[in-house]
Amino acid sequence: MKQFPKISEAEFEVMKVLWRRSPLTAAEIIAQLGDTDWSPKTIHTLINRLVDKEAVKVKKETPYQFSPLIAEDAYKGEEARSFLKRMYGGSLNMLVANFIKEEKLTPEEIEELKKILG
């Protein structure tokens, strides 16, 4: 299995923009992240880190264009497995039991869980 790079929460926000639509220029990424309080310089730094981590590729034309090298579903799946292993020893049963115990589920959510569990 391919090892995914560690991506920070801030870098993940850039990845989400690129997963929605790519390729994008740095200016387009900055525009998409306009609701954050990050400066354009900070966003450039995040993009460069993702390129260095080989999570994003750059097409060196004018202007540079950026695209993800990691598929969204594959990355999220790996992060979910890593979280499950780290927090619950890999036990999905423990995760679900803890969630059900701690959360107030609506009747609709209970029915949906029953359908999923078969």
Side-chain angles (χ1 to χ4, degrees), residues 4 30 44 49 62 68 70 76 89 91 97-98 113:
F4 290 103
I30 290 166
H44 277 283
R49 285 181 187 166
T62 304
I70 298 170
K76 286 180 177 180
S91 172
N98 186 60
L113 274 175

Side-chain angles (χ1 to χ4, degrees), residues 4 8 14-15 27 44 51 60 66 75 79 82 88 90 116:
F4 290 103
S8 71
V14 173
M15 291 300 295
H44 277 283
V51 169
K60 295 184 178 181
F66 301 91
Y75 183 77
E79 283 295 305
S82 174
Y88 295 97
I116 291 169

Side-chain angles (χ1 to χ4, degrees), residues 20-77:
R20 281 194 301 268
R21 193 182 104 214
S22 62
L24 292 174
T25 65
E28 291 169 324
I29 295 169
I30 290 166
Q32 292 289 314
L33 293 170
D35 58 344
T36 66
D37 58 354
W38 299 331
S39 72
K41 184 176 179 181
T42 298
I43 296 171
H44 277 283
T45 298
L46 295 171
I47 295 167
N48 288 331
R49 285 181 187 166
L50 288 166
V51 169
D52 290 344
K53 292 178 179 184
E54 298 180 359
V56 168
K57 69 179 175 180
V58 58
K59 189 173 185 181
K60 295 184 178 181
E61 294 181 358
T62 304
Y64 284 14
Q65 295 184 333
F66 301 91
S67 301
L69 287 170
I70 298 170
E72 181 177 13
D73 289 344
Y75 183 77
K76 286 180 177 180

Side-chain angles (χ1 to χ4, degrees), residues 6 78-91:
K6 295 290 181 204
E78 181 58 30
E79 283 295 305
R81 284 185 289 280
S82 174
F83 173 80
L84 185 63
K85 184 177 179 183
R86 194 172 63 253
M87 299 302 291
Y88 295 97
S91 172

